[in-house]
Amino acid sequence: MSYLNLDSIKYNEILNIKFGVYHPLKRFVDKKEFISISKNFKSSKNKFFPLPVYFDISKVERNRIENLDKIDLIYKRKKIGLLRKYSSYKINKNKYLKLIFGTKDKIHPGVKKFLQSKEYFLSGDIDLKNKLFINKKNYPHFWVHKFKKEKIKSIAGFHTRNIPHKSHEWIHDYGLQKCQALFVHPMTGHLKKGDFKRNIVLRSYKVLIKIKKIKNFFFNELKTYARYAGPREAMLHAIIRKNFGCTHFLVGRDHAGVENYYNKYESQKKCKKIEKKIGVKIITFNEPFYCKLCKKIVGFTSSCKHLIKNKEFISATKIRNLIKMKKNIPSYFIRPEISKFLSKRSLRN
């Protein structure tokens, strides 16, 4: 029996598939399913799914495992399980860039990562070791059971890969106006250079939760990586939160976007259009802003009538730029209790 060594991304993706994060997927996609999802948004079970979840391997790895019945899966020098009934395949990656990412630009971080993936792809049944330690809070069953036990009927899911700034807090509050509970679920896996580090995101939310003491505010990390695939990835994020028990999902101004590759509110429009297929109610909103005359964060439901020159939009990009320039972050951008521990070391190298 041969083996495959896993990095942290593959290890977490194996757990995500095995424990229902990507339901209805039950294995890494094969060639037919890769094409079907990319072209038609349909999994092998003919169910809606927006992005292929793949397992890439090198030619050397493929040659080593060829014609074997079972493959050991090794993570940090320990066997974590087996892969059975597997098949390998190649695809023309360039052919699917526009479909998946909406662009063929090789500077796009999602495109770049996909093109850098290995030559072959692998699909198969995953068997995990019984004694493998799993943090149950990272997977759907824990939260579905918890929401049911607490008799919460409506839960708004909130996705982020950033620390919480004041506009995020407005969105949190808006979600709680629409639903009984809010499930804040930041992505803490592999992100691009310059994004906030995992420990900083978790620490900042711990501080915010302690300050605000909001009822029915639930929090946990999502261990997957950013595809930066705009609308398609926003759909995936919604499906993931549905699997975690959310009935609603908040889609932001440039959800899962990067730089200017996607139109403003494109993710909102496309998710809202197919929310029945996704299976969760999509909550949309115009981007909140800080009004210098009202001296508060203002949303589109507000009666603020002040001119655009008095409005300032807050973003994690602006906050990261201020950090890089070693400038003070205004208290109307982010709470001082959080900004005080932010520095260049807070950002991924």
Side-chain angles (χ1 to χ4, degrees):
M1 186 183 295
S2 195
Y3 64 91
L4 287 171
N5 281 313
L6 309 173
D7 58 17
S8 61
I9 293 177
K10 285 191 175 76
Y11 174 67
N12 284 321
E13 292 298 86
I14 282 172
L15 298 183
N16 287 339
I17 286 176
K18 193 66 180 176
F19 294 107
V21 174
Y22 296 135
H23 179 79
L25 297 190
K26 293 185 178 180
R27 47 158 53 192
F28 290 104
V29 297
D30 58 22
K31 187 171 186 176
K32 183 179 178 181
E33 193 167 31
F34 189 106
I35 294 169
S36 177
I37 289 172
S38 300
K39 289 185 174 181
N40 305 311
F41 293 81
K42 288 185 179 180
S43 70
S44 60
K45 301 292 184 182
N46 208 33
K47 292 187 177 180
F48 178 85
F49 205 80
L51 283 174
V53 179
Y54 60 82
F55 187 116
D56 62 312
I57 59 170
S58 67
K59 186 175 181 179
V60 172
E61 289 172 317
R62 180 181 179 272
N63 290 342
R64 192 174 68 232
I65 65 173
E66 196 170 14
N67 300 321
L68 295 175
D69 294 328
K70 299 175 182 178
I71 306 164
D72 283 339
L73 299 172
I74 309 296
Y75 180 61
K76 293 184 176 179
R77 299 183 179 180
K78 293 182 180 180
K79 179 180 174 181
I80 61 104
L82 295 169
L83 190 69
R84 299 182 297 105
K85 298 179 182 179
Y86 72 90
S87 62
S88 62
Y89 60 97
K90 291 178 75 172
I91 57 166
N92 181 346
K93 296 176 186 177
N94 287 297
K95 186 177 177 180
Y96 296 96
L97 295 177
K98 189 76 173 177
L99 286 170
I100 294 172
F101 300 100
T103 179
K104 291 185 177 182
D105 189 346
K106 293 178 182 178
I107 299 174
H108 181 288
V111 170
K112 185 178 179 181
K113 179 175 173 56
F114 180 56
L115 290 176
Q116 288 174 345
S117 63
K118 296 174 184 177
E119 189 176 355
Y120 289 87
F121 296 88
L122 195 62
S123 179
D125 294 337
I126 301 163
D127 291 339
L128 296 179
K129 288 184 71 174
N130 292 331
K131 293 183 180 180
L132 188 67
F133 173 76
I134 301 295
N135 184 348
K136 294 180 180 179
K137 288 184 74 175
N138 289 340
Y139 304 102
H141 179 77
F142 175 90
W143 292 99
V144 170
H145 178 73
K146 183 176 182 65
F147 295 143
K148 187 175 180 180
K149 184 179 179 181
E150 298 196 18
K151 297 180 179 179
I152 300 173
K153 301 287 183 169
S154 60
I155 308 103
F158 177 76
H159 173 94
T160 185
R161 61 180 190 259
N162 288 303
I163 57 173
H165 52 66
K166 290 291 184 74
S167 287
H168 283 165
E169 290 191 46
W170 183 94
I171 297 168
H172 297 161
D173 294 341
Y174 186 66
L176 283 166
Q177 290 173 29
K178 296 288 185 178
C179 298
Q180 290 175 277
L182 179 73
F183 182 47
V184 175
H185 203 197
M187 176 188 290
T188 59
H190 182 79
L191 305 176
K192 65 180 173 65
K193 181 181 177 180
D195 278 348
F196 285 101
K197 291 179 179 177
R198 171 179 178 263
N199 67 310
I200 295 298
V201 173
L202 298 181
R203 182 181 176 185
S204 63
Y205 266 103
K206 187 176 181 181
V207 169
L208 179 66
I209 291 166
K210 187 176 180 180
I211 293 170
K212 294 195 79 170
K213 297 178 181 177
I214 303 171
K215 184 183 178 184
N216 286 347
F217 186 109
F218 299 95
F219 176 84
N220 198 66
E221 62 182 318
L222 173 66
K223 290 196 170 184
T224 188
Y225 66 97
R227 280 84 166 170
Y228 303 99
R232 274 190 181 249
E233 191 173 357
M235 296 168 195
L236 176 66
H237 293 164
I239 287 173
I240 289 171
R241 280 27 179 253
K242 177 181 70 173
N243 291 334
F244 274 82
C246 294
T247 57
H248 295 65
F249 185 63
L250 292 149
V251 178
R253 165 189 54 81
D254 185 31
H255 196 111
V258 61
E259 297 180 8
N260 297 311
Y261 284 100
Y262 309 103
N263 294 328
K264 194 172 183 179
Y265 302 118
E266 185 178 349
S267 289
Q268 287 189 354
K269 291 172 184 175
K270 289 185 175 178
C271 285
K272 191 69 177 177
K273 188 176 180 179
I274 59 165
E275 67 177 3
K276 287 185 179 179
K277 288 184 179 180
I278 294 172
V280 68
K281 287 282 186 182
I282 301 298
I283 301 175
T284 62
F285 46 88
N286 287 349
E287 182 181 12
F289 55 88
Y290 178 77
C291 176
K292 296 173 185 177
L293 298 181
C294 293
K295 296 189 182 302
K296 64 179 182 179
I297 300 294
V298 175
F300 71 98
T301 56
S302 171
S303 59
C304 172
K305 303 295 182 184
H306 297 126
L307 299 175
I308 189 70
K309 67 179 182 180
N310 298 306
K311 300 175 181 179
E312 185 166 4
F313 291 95
I314 300 169
S315 70
T317 300
K318 286 184 179 180
I319 293 170
R320 289 194 296 266
N321 288 338
L322 289 171
I323 291 170
K324 290 173 186 175
M325 293 185 288
K326 296 184 178 181
K327 291 187 176 181
N328 289 330
I329 305 170
S331 59
Y332 63 85
F333 266 46
I334 194 167
R335 290 179 181 266
E337 294 92 338
I338 296 173
S339 63
K340 72 179 182 181
F341 58 77
L342 299 180
S343 69
K344 283 188 177 181
R345 288 180 295 177
S346 304
L347 307 176
R348 298 183 184 232
N349 298 320

